[in-house]
Every structure is written in C-alpha cells, then in structure tokens.
C-alpha cells in the first residue's frame, strides 16, 4: 500500500507557510500605513479673512480746524454763542453833527433771556417804502475788532456817518427805513428813518459804519 502521508504533510506545511506569509504581509501593510506621516491640513482662508489678516481697518483721522478751539474769541463769537437777529432790537439814536458830518449811533439791544456775543460790523442799508435800496452799501471804517458779551437787556452800538448833503452837494434821497443786519446774520432788522435826506450818489456821497462797541453811543 502506498504511503500517502508524506504528500499530505507537505500540502499542510505549504498551506501553513502561505497563511503565515499572508499574516506577515497584512501586519506589515498595516504598520506602514499607520506610521507614514500624514500631510498637514491647512485651513481654507476666505478673501475676507485674508483681508482682515493683511490689512488693518482704515480709521478716519479726527482733525480740528485751525483757530476753532474753545478758547478762540472768533470761534465763540461766530458760532453757538453769537446773538441772532431774532434776539435783538435795533434803533437809531439822535444825530450828532460835527465838522460837516452827520453821525448816528445804530444800537443793537439783547432782548433774549441769555447772554450772547457780537463781533465785527453790522450791515446797514437805506431803503425806500417799497424796500428798494438807496445808494451803495456803507464803507467799513478801520477798527480793532473785539468780542462783545451782551447780557439780557444790554446793548452795543456802531456809528453811521456821512457828509451833510447841504455841504457836499451829493445827490440825495429820503429813506423810509434803515435795514440793520447783525454780524454773521442774514436777516435784517428794520428801523424807521426819520432823520431826513441822505446822500445816495455823486461827489462826497459815501456813508461809513464803524465796528460795534459796548454801550449805546458816545
């Protein structure tokens, strides 16, 4: 009888070897996969994120206008604290003649319940009954300007002067009113004019106005 155990044993040994090699290969594959360095994941960055990382936000600079400070007389005189037309009353004082001149104090009085300021020259214009201006605007006499603080009921004045028409020979007209505009305001105050004719053209017809000063006149 033939001995068949030898082939069977060889077959079993071969199968065992194949199985062992498969196990070793599997272990090697798993080990190499787990030990291999993994690529570093870089988070995706949006354009907004990039802008935030590379550009600082632009902040507008805050500046102060030259001279516009709390301690500036011109700033306080011509902004919040100034006297407005609605807070004032205008009047024309008695004529003060002298050396061929006719001089009138134009008075502004604070009728409000607060202290306000005036700075500079008032506007002045003679008008007829229809409101038409007679003659050119008065010239401003040279002066050193100052800020005037007017408490309620207090006044400031400016001098309105012109050569007497009888002496100068200028062309004249008789105004119905004098329009007086406070400094830095647009709306005038209307004062009836009762002092007769004024020069409106020709030689020696100029009218002048002085800067405002404290009080009601000389």
């Amino acid at each position: 009888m033939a001995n068949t155990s030898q082939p069977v044993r060889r077959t079993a040994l071969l199968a065992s070897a194949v199985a062992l090699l498969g196990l070793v290969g599997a272990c090697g594959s798993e080990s190499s996969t787990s030990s291999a360095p993994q690529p570093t994941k870089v988070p995706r960055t949006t354009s907004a994120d990039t802008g935030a990382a590379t550009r600082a936000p632009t902040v507008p600079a805050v500046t102060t206008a030259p001279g516009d400070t709390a301690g500036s007389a011109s700033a306080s005189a011509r902004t919040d604290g100034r006297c407005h037309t609605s807070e004032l009353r205008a009047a024309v004082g008695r004529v003060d003649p002298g050396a061929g001149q006719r001089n009138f104090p134009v008075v502004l009085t604070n009728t409000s319940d607060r202290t306000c300021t005036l700075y500079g020259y008032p506007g002045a214009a003679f008008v007829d009954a229809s409101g038409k201006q007679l003659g050119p605007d008065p010239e401003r006499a040279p002066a050193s300007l100052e800020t005037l603080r007017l408490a309620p009921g207090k006044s400031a004045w400016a001098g309105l002067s012109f050569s007497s028409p009888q002496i100068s020979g200028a062309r004249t007209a008789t105004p119905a009113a004098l329009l007086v505009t406070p400094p830095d305001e647009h709306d005038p105050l209307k004062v009836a004019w009762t002092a007769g004719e004024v020069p409106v053209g020709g030689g020696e017809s100029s009218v002048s106005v002085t800067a405002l000063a404290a009080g009601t006149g000389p």
Side-chain angles (χ1 to χ4, degrees), residues 125-179:
F126 294 111
V127 295
D128 62 16
S130 66
K132 179 182 177 181
Q133 182 169 336
L134 302 172
D137 292 336
E139 299 175 354
R140 293 182 173 183
S144 296
L145 306 184
E146 59 177 325
T147 299
L148 306 174
R149 294 179 58 83
L150 265 62
K154 296 300 182 179
S155 302
W157 72 283
L160 184 72
S161 302
F162 53 86
S163 296
S164 175
Q166 289 80 10
I167 298 175
S168 68
R171 182 165 53 87
T172 65
T174 301
L178 176 69
L179 300 184

Side-chain angles (χ1 to χ4, degrees), residues 26-209:
C27 291
S29 175
E30 181 180 353
S31 175
S32 63
T33 302
S34 61
S35 61
Q38 299 297 315
T40 303
K41 293 184 178 180
V42 179
R44 296 181 63 186
T45 305
T46 64
S47 59
D49 292 338
T50 303
T54 59
R55 293 189 302 272
T58 302
V59 179
V62 178
T63 60
T64 302
D68 190 17
T69 61
S72 170
S74 60
S76 63
R78 287 180 275 201
T79 55
D80 295 342
R82 77 167 186 262
C83 300
H84 299 286
T85 300
S86 60
E87 299 175 302
L88 298 168
R89 181 181 67 247
V92 177
R94 185 181 305 175
V95 61
D96 179 23
Q101 290 287 110
R102 304 192 72 190
N103 308 301
F104 300 86
V106 177
V107 182
L108 293 174
T109 302
N110 182 5
T111 60
S112 73
D113 58 358
R114 72 180 184 106
T115 297
C116 59
T117 59
L118 290 174
Y119 180 89
Y121 296 83
F126 294 111
V127 295
D128 62 16
S130 66
K132 179 182 177 181
Q133 182 169 336
L134 302 172
D137 292 336
E139 299 175 354
R140 293 182 173 183
S144 296
L145 306 184
E146 59 177 325
T147 299
L148 306 174
R149 294 179 58 83
L150 265 62
K154 296 300 182 179
S155 302
W157 72 283
L160 184 72
S161 302
F162 53 86
S163 296
S164 175
Q166 289 80 10
I167 298 175
S168 68
R171 182 165 53 87
T172 65
T174 301
L178 176 69
L179 300 184
V180 181
T181 306
D184 298 310
E185 291 291 298
H186 297 288
D187 298 325
L189 297 164
K190 187 175 183 179
V191 183
W193 182 260
T194 60
E197 59 184 0
V198 300
V200 295
E204 299 296 328
S205 62
S206 62
V207 178
S208 66
V209 63

